[in-house]
Amino acid sequence: MRSQRTNDNTTSHPIHCAMLGDGMIGKTCLTLSYSTKRFTDEYTATIHDDYKVKVQREGKDFPVSVFDTAGQSDFEDLRVFTYQESEVLVLCFSVCDRDSFASVFNSWIPEIKRHMKKKRPIILVGTQTDMRTGNKETEVSREEGQAMAKLIGAAKYVECSAKDGSGVSDVFGQVLGCALKKRKRNNSFLGRIFQR
């Protein structure tokens, strides 16, 4: 009986993920592009929004609750709840903004470590790929993004554009995959405990 309840928990409860990263790098646009299937270039400052989206896999819809957070350091205290509730962290930077890329290692990873008692899978996401012009001085290459993902121990590195839609579904597909893998691992551990 316990085993059945554990299996149900893997897929029935909404998956919670947090969108993290500096301000004005496209976190909200990414979420809205996926949930509404359209792009808006109107910037709206986010403090803390919760979006409900569905991610499909093998013909089944999985509910995902996306916590969209403010990127400014002043709002760290407000992000504490987000860290506690999230199963997966989506850490974003703009491929056209080296400062936001540097913030991944210099600001966001230290903040995550301050507030995370248990390790969560991180998906590193390079946004705004449609704005790339080929300027190596100001832009971040795919190879640099992959190297950063390895450096911080991210589960995956994904590039996307909310404007043209490329890679957007992959971001949320990775969220689902990482969350289900984590739940399965946790349930397997609990199953071993209860069988003793």
Side-chain angles (χ1 to χ4, degrees), residues 10 28 94 142 175 195:
T10 304
T28 302
S94 169
R142 179 180 287 275
V175 167
Q195 284 172 5

Side-chain angles (χ1 to χ4, degrees), residues 175-193:
V175 167
L176 175 62
C178 285
L180 293 181
K181 188 175 178 182
K182 184 176 181 295
R183 287 183 179 187
K184 188 174 182 181
R185 200 164 49 238
N186 290 347
N187 289 341
S188 175
F189 174 72
L190 289 173
R192 287 198 300 271
I193 290 174

Side-chain angles (χ1 to χ4, degrees), residues 4 17 32 59 61 68 72 80 105 112 120 126 132 135 140 163 173 178 186:
Q4 181 65 42
C17 79
L32 291 175
D61 285 337
D68 187 11
Q72 293 78 9
V80 172
F105 186 78
I112 288 167
R120 303 281 193 279
R132 267 194 180 126
N135 186 330
V140 180
K163 188 170 186 176
C178 285
N186 290 347

